[in-house]
Amino acid sequence: MEFAAKHNINLVDGARLLTEFAGLLPEKALALLKLATKGDFLTPTCPGCSIKMISRKSTGEGRAFWGCENYPRCKQTFSDATLAH
């Protein structure tokens, strides 16, 4: 909230956002929806490097996990038992 106030950003809660969204013309609402859902939301982003992680398998056990593309400089990982290879 402090950052938003400092940079003249208006914050709204989910209910107000939906109300504002519903008030748009249909073509504007569709354009906004396309923009908001553009991209890869299934691949996690490394919290340290802000880049998409890559799917990997551990060498010993073959365990699936997400690893930062900047390894070995960044060693951030996320376990994912459902990760498909």
Side-chain angles (χ1 to χ4, degrees):
M1 285 193 267
E2 201 174 295
F3 178 86
K6 188 176 183 179
H7 293 87
N8 199 25
I9 298 170
N10 294 323
L11 298 177
V12 296
D13 64 12
R16 177 155 176 220
L17 180 63
L18 291 175
T19 300
E20 297 285 334
F21 192 75
L24 294 173
L25 294 172
E27 59 273 8
K28 290 202 181 237
L30 182 58
L32 182 58
L33 180 62
K34 284 181 180 178
L35 176 66
T37 57
K38 183 179 178 182
D40 178 6
F41 293 99
L42 299 177
T43 304
T45 301
C46 177
C49 299
S50 299
I51 61 171
K52 290 295 183 179
M53 300 181 100
I54 53 178
S55 115
R56 300 180 183 255
K57 279 190 178 180
S58 65
T59 53
E61 303 138 11
R63 176 186 55 86
F65 68 97
W66 293 104
C68 182
E69 191 171 349
N70 287 328
Y71 179 84
R73 190 174 62 238
C74 176
K75 293 181 173 54
Q76 180 68 50
T77 62
F78 293 127
S79 296
D80 188 350
T82 63
L83 186 62
H85 285 278

